[in-house]
Amino acid sequence: MNATGWSRGLEVSGGGTGVVSHAGLVLLRQLADRTGLTAGLSAALPSPLGGHDRGRVLSDLACAIAGGARVISDFRVMGDQRELLGPVASVPTAWRALKETAAGGDHRRRKVTAAVSKARRHAWAHGTARHGGLPPVKVADRKLEGVTCIRLDATVVTAHSDKELAEPNFKGYGHHPLIAACDNTREPLAWMLRPGSAGSSTAADHLRLLDDAITALPPASRRKLMITCDGAGASHALVKELDRLASRHGYQVTYSVGWELAAREKAAIAKVPEPAWEAAVDGNGQVRERRADDACGNQRCAHRECWIEEAHVTELTGLLREGPGGDQLKSWPKTMRVFARRERPHPGAQLSLFEAADGWRYSLWVTNRAADTKGWLGQCAYIDAAHRVHARVEDVIRTGKDTGLGHFPSHDYGLNKAWLDAAMIAAILLSWLKLLALDGDLARAEPKTLRYRVLHAAARLVRGGRRRTLKIAATWPWAQEIVAAWQRIQAIPHPT
Ligand SMILES: [Zn+2]
């Protein structure tokens, strides 16, 4: 076999016709239209007479970002497919549309998010019908059905150049947005661009974000909620509000919020009798163990002393509420319980003095999960697992950083807010695509994989009579999935 023979007789010329290089973008664009998102955005954003419809432009910008656009000039990916997509706004028009949205201020942005929420009702109704319910929340090896899970988290977006209100913070220099994500569908529900110096546990911001996130849910998905917030985020105001939400008649709200390890908690931990620490479980519901240094020779032995459990959980509520010093939590809701998890620190982990002396690394959180909860959900190990699945919100943020969240285009703060809207709509469209039209591996794929397999698939546009047919390359391994996805999206009834 000649290693360089492949190019013999090969010529490269222009003049190909009907060739489409990002064929899968039609799935996202049609999804935006079929769910009513494009029309809703059109109604929310005034368009100049004779100019491009601003709802179409924002919806197309979201498709472009989902397809990999990182800066506004990348928007041309849509315009470059005019033969397929028809008249598409130019890059300068996309800029103008973002500027107009920014100029409309938070009032106009609220109309945009209201349009997204309305489309979500339609998308979720259809997705629920397709799957027999909203995807369950995974708690270790168990599935929690019928509960909608909202996770609140702050992230840092690094600015590589001077940007308005980009400020130094604990992770570098940039902005510090807050994001509320739905764990069931892995989609952003609410978001807030904040200056870089904004704290990660600013109560007022969390309260507003939480309210926006619940409003963003279809009413049918608001009755049974699980709300988690990581870090030492448990401000009095947030827990009080969660307690108020939980006390409403006809609603069920379970929260799980990070809690600070302060002097009273350290004192309580010191009093926990060793047997009260229960083994924690990992994502598969298994106890994580390793062999002790002085274990016997049989690697599979059943000697308790030969195995070291890596993490434990215990409840501190009793010690804090009924200690000799009286109720140390009396200013907090009666239903609030405090839990602690301890782990063997990784080599090189940063430990507090307390942790260094003690040999464990601690994380604390509070929950209103009732002490008489029956079954697996009432067990310490699963109460811990239910808090720790919080890490999945980071999935939304990680994939978000791959879809426009990682890079703000402008010096102007208002314009960056409008860009964040477009980026979050991009992430939402990708999650709806999975929920409504994809299966198997593709329904779990990251944006990068979806782009390669689906969004950037090559095709030929063939005309016959009045119809146009987009023919995905016959040899493309995911051609059938793309065709099936299109048919599923076409079958979504128009919103009434
Ligand atoms: Zn042994």
Side-chain angles (χ1 to χ4, degrees), residues 124-148:
W124 281 26
H126 205 69
T128 303
R130 182 178 179 223
H131 299 284
L134 209 56
V137 180
K138 289 204 185 77
V139 177
D141 57 327
R142 308 291 182 129
K143 286 176 180 170
L144 196 53
E145 309 269 359
V147 174
T148 313

Side-chain angles (χ1 to χ4, degrees), residues 419-436:
W419 171 266
L420 180 62
D421 291 340
M424 292 291 100
I425 294 171
I428 289 166
L429 283 175
L430 284 176
S431 75
W432 292 353
L433 179 67
K434 296 177 187 181
L435 180 71
L436 298 175

Side-chain angles (χ1 to χ4, degrees), residues 216-302:
L217 290 174
S221 304
R222 288 180 201 164
R223 299 221 154 235
K224 280 185 165 184
L225 295 177
M226 179 168 148
I227 297 166
T228 77
C229 181
D230 209 357
S235 71
H236 213 268
L238 179 62
V239 172
K240 229 176 114 186
E241 172 63 8
L242 290 166
D243 188 58
R244 186 191 70 78
L245 290 172
S247 66
R248 289 172 309 163
H249 186 71
Y251 289 82
Q252 181 187 311
V253 175
T254 307
Y255 65 79
S256 176
V257 180
W259 184 262
E260 198 186 350
L261 174 62
R264 61 184 176 188
E265 288 79 13
K266 288 175 188 168
I269 285 172
K271 291 197 196 96
V272 176
E274 197 51 35
W277 288 102
E278 296 176 31
V281 295
D282 64 13
N284 301 314
Q286 303 293 314
V287 172
R288 209 152 40 92
E289 290 177 305
R290 65 183 157 84
R291 300 287 288 168
D293 290 340
D294 54 354
C296 73
N298 177 5
Q299 292 292 316
R300 295 175 165 201
C301 77

